[in-house]
Amino acid sequence: MKAFVATLCLSLAAVPAFAVDTTKTYTSGLLVLLFVGFCALIIVAQLIPALLALFGMTKAVSQGRNYKAVPVSSRK
């Protein structure tokens, strides 16, 4: 009896979702997709130098390097 109930519950849980067909609701064209892809490319291109700088800072901190601040003279 337990096996029957477990099988029934699993078969009812595996019912496919009744989602909306996106071919009828998505009306944007190819240019919109290219624009969004270009925006994503810009974001990824900005993340790479940021991650490299973060990696460099954490590497310098873990090695215990002590950098002295260089005084900047102001011209008046």
Side-chain angles (χ1 to χ4, degrees), residues 14-57:
V15 174
F18 298 108
V20 176
D21 186 18
T22 57
T23 58
K24 295 179 182 177
T25 59
Y26 183 72
T27 58
S28 296
L30 180 64
L31 289 177
V32 173
L33 290 176
L34 289 175
F35 177 73
V36 171
F38 184 70
C39 291
L41 183 67
I42 290 173
I43 292 171
V44 169
Q46 290 179 356
L47 282 176
I48 293 171
L51 290 175
L52 289 175
L54 181 65
F55 178 71
M57 286 187 290

Side-chain angles (χ1 to χ4, degrees), residues 51-67:
L51 290 175
L52 289 175
L54 181 65
F55 178 71
M57 286 187 290
T58 55
K59 185 176 178 182
V61 168
S62 67
Q63 290 177 354
R65 293 183 184 168
N66 292 326
Y67 292 107

Side-chain angles (χ1 to χ4, degrees), residues 2-18:
K2 286 183 183 180
F4 175 72
V5 172
T7 306
L8 183 65
C9 287
L10 288 175
S11 66
L12 289 176
V15 174
F18 298 108

